[in-house]
């Protein structure tokens, strides 16, 4: 592909095949050395563990080109650690953290032309994925696995960028208590396909999932955690053992405390108290911080005071600070920007 023809400023969040991806195989009880490959296709048994029993997990992180030309990944060490947790939960052999970081470096260096220029709002999204590749028939873990890490340049996840979103409270559940909601298992997303398709067909941008046990507490959205701002400017985020521990959300809570000197609370959030919040946002690697203007809970509509035209003032401050750190315009906390360069 000729990268000169890419319209960086108008990229959506879609797969664009890039030059090289990193591949490693787990066979005979160990991960092989790993290689860069130009082959974007996978050939596996028709009875592979991933195809029969969804034995797969993945990650998502972004790489930015800074104004001074440096290339950085945002907190990839946390993605590596989360993928280890996901693998363990699915009885897969974890891919070692140091090797994960090396794969990030190799893939970025092999696809330099696909890193969007500074100031375009686009970034290079990295997708590490792991799956059971050997044949299984009975329900049990595969014996062989494949780890891949590929790259795709992306723009905003929500097509209107930072315009406030409209969500609905869905009657579907995303994750069970004591299930796999806290890891990035492919099966969690299969669970959400019907809910998101229905939501889009009805004109909503995303779903708010509630806890499956009592259906009274806010969990998360299909691809992002929630943050709320109280009327006295505290940042509140739901605590639950069945939501994905978002790296963006963890970063925002630190930013709120250490850069903006705001009080933060990670606690259970009742659906009944949502109408009392001043602002609401979705946060994630893809969503960054996307403001929510309206939440429809069956017959009840909650319009956040921040409205449908722009982000609320605190959400805007969080967004500006997070994106300034990610793009190198504000000093980042130690270790948040992982610089990628030739060794
Ligand atoms: C279900 C879910 N929750 C939250 C997030 C946000 O996590 P992170 O900030 O680590 O990208 C994601 C994905 O990015 C997700 O898929």
């Amino acid at each position: 592909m000729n990268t000169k023809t890419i319209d960086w400023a108008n990229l959506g969040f879609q797969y664009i095949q890039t030059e090289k991806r990193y591949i490693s195989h787990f066979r005979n009880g160990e991960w092989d050395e790993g290689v860069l490959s130009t082959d974007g296709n996978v050939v596996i048994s028709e009875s592979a563990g991933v195809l029969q029993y969804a034995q797969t997990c993945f990650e998502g992180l972004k790489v930015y080109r800074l104004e001074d030309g440096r290339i950085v990944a945002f907190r990839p060490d946390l993605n590596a650690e989360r993928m280890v947790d996901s693998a363990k939960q699915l009885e897969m052999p974890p891919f070692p953290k140091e090797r994960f970081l090396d794969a990030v470096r190799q893939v970025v260096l092999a696809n330099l032309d696909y890193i969007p220029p500074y100031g375009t709002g686009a970034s290079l999204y990295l997708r590490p994925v792991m799956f059971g590749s050997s044949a299984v028939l009975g329900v049990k873990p595969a014996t062989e696995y494949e780890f891949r890490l590929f790259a795709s340049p992306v723009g905003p996840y929500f097509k209107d960028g930072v315009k406030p979103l409209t969500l609905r409270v869905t009657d579907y559940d995303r994750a069970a208590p004591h299930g796999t909601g806290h890891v990035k298992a492919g099966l969690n997303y299969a669970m959400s396909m019907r809910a998101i398709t229905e939501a889009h067909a009805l004109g909503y941008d995303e779903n708010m999932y509630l806890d499956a046990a009592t259906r009274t507490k806010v969990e998360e959205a299909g691809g992002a955690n929630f943050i709320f701002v109280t009327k006295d400017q505290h940042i509140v985020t739901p605590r639950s053992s069945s939501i994905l521990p978002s790296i963006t959300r963890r970063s925002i809570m630190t930013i709120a405390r250490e850069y903006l000197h705001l009080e933060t609370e990670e606690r259970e959030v009742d659906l009944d108290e949502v109408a009392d919040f001043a602002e609401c946002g979705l946060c994630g690697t893809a969503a960054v911080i996307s403001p929510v203007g309206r939440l429809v809970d069956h017959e009840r509509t909650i319009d956040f005071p921040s409205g449908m035209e722009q982000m609320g003032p605190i959400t805007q401050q969080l967004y500006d600070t997070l994106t300034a750190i990610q793009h190198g315009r504000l000093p980042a906390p130690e270790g948040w920007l992982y610089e990628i360069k030739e060794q």
Side-chain angles (χ1 to χ4, degrees):
M1 177 175 194
N2 178 2
T3 55
K4 300 217 164 44
T5 61
I6 298 178
D7 181 5
W8 302 110
N10 290 305
L11 277 181
F13 195 87
Q14 276 158 8
Y15 174 72
I16 293 177
Q17 187 169 331
T18 51
E19 206 52 37
K20 299 237 174 103
R21 71 277 303 118
Y22 178 92
I23 306 173
S24 177
H25 292 99
F26 183 88
R27 293 189 185 115
N28 303 317
E30 59 184 14
W31 289 104
D32 69 13
E33 250 185 11
V35 289
L36 285 174
S37 165
T38 54
D39 192 353
N41 294 316
V42 177
V43 179
I44 47 174
S45 163
E46 62 192 353
S47 204
V50 58
L51 298 179
Q52 304 310 313
Y53 304 122
Q55 203 185 11
T56 178
C57 60
F58 65 100
E59 272 303 324
L61 63 152
K62 281 179 175 170
V63 168
Y64 306 92
R65 201 185 281 280
L66 307 186
E67 199 168 10
D68 63 10
R70 281 182 300 146
I71 296 165
V72 299
F74 186 69
R75 310 190 80 180
D77 51 322
L78 299 188
N79 295 95
E81 287 169 11
R82 194 168 62 187
M83 199 165 193
V84 167
D85 294 341
S86 300
K88 286 183 182 162
Q89 179 74 32
L90 298 169
E91 290 295 333
M92 304 168 84
F95 194 70
K97 179 172 167 180
E98 287 313 314
R99 292 213 40 203
F100 181 106
L101 294 173
D102 181 52
V104 165
R105 197 183 63 82
Q106 287 196 43
V107 169
V108 173
L109 290 174
N111 294 290
L112 287 176
D113 288 350
Y114 291 90
I115 308 174
Y118 174 79
T120 53
S123 57
L124 187 70
Y125 183 76
L126 299 183
R127 171 54 61 90
V129 56
M130 247 173 85
F131 49 87
S133 52
S134 62
V136 294
L137 207 50
V139 179
K140 60 175 190 236
T143 53
E144 297 183 357
Y145 294 85
E146 186 164 329
F147 171 91
R148 286 194 162 231
L149 194 150
F150 61 85
S152 178
V154 295
Y157 190 70
F158 292 105
K159 61 179 183 323
D160 291 329
V162 288
K163 273 251 167 201
L165 306 172
T166 302
L167 269 59
R168 68 161 183 177
V169 176
T170 176
D171 291 329
Y172 294 109
D173 293 325
R174 173 187 170 273
H178 314 293
T180 56
H182 61 301
V183 296
K184 215 160 162 64
L187 66 93
N188 295 338
Y189 299 83
M191 291 271 289
S192 73
M193 291 300 166
R194 186 159 187 192
I196 192 66
T197 306
E198 248 186 49
H200 285 164
L202 294 169
Y204 301 106
D205 297 296
E206 248 286 14
N207 289 297
M208 171 184 276
Y209 288 96
L210 303 179
D211 74 295
T214 71
R215 304 198 58 77
T216 59
K217 298 187 186 1
V218 177
E219 290 257 302
E220 61 174 327
N225 282 181
F226 280 103
I227 48 166
F228 298 100
V229 182
T230 63
K231 290 187 178 125
D232 54 358
Q233 305 194 336
H234 289 200
I235 309 300
V236 177
T237 194
R239 181 198 297 283
S240 160
S241 56
S242 49
I243 65 175
L244 192 74
S246 158
I247 294 164
T248 315
R249 184 256 296 163
R250 286 182 264 163
S251 305
I252 289 169
M253 297 305 265
T254 303
I255 287 170
R257 279 190 306 271
E258 294 181 9
Y259 287 67
L260 303 178
H261 310 293
L262 299 170
E263 302 256 343
T264 60
E265 301 169 27
E266 185 181 349
R267 59 164 172 85
E268 289 189 342
V269 173
D270 284 329
L271 177 60
D272 281 346
E273 66 177 303
V274 169
D276 297 333
F277 290 122
E279 298 174 38
C280 171
L282 295 182
C283 57
T285 297
V288 192
I289 303 179
S290 301
V292 177
R294 177 172 294 161
L295 175 68
V296 178
D297 174 19
H298 303 89
E299 283 71 46
R300 181 170 68 132
T301 296
I302 297 170
D303 282 311
F304 292 100
S306 48
M308 292 304 288
E309 285 308 312
Q310 58 196 22
M311 285 193 189
I314 299 292
T315 307
Q316 185 76 55
Q317 284 184 41
L318 290 168
Y319 178 90
D320 290 346
T321 312
L322 173 67
T323 52
I325 289 171
Q326 289 172 329
H327 292 91
R329 294 188 296 269
L330 261 185
E334 178 76 30
W336 280 24
L337 298 187
Y338 175 80
E339 190 175 347
I340 292 169
K341 52 185 176 198
E342 299 284 355
Q343 278 174 336

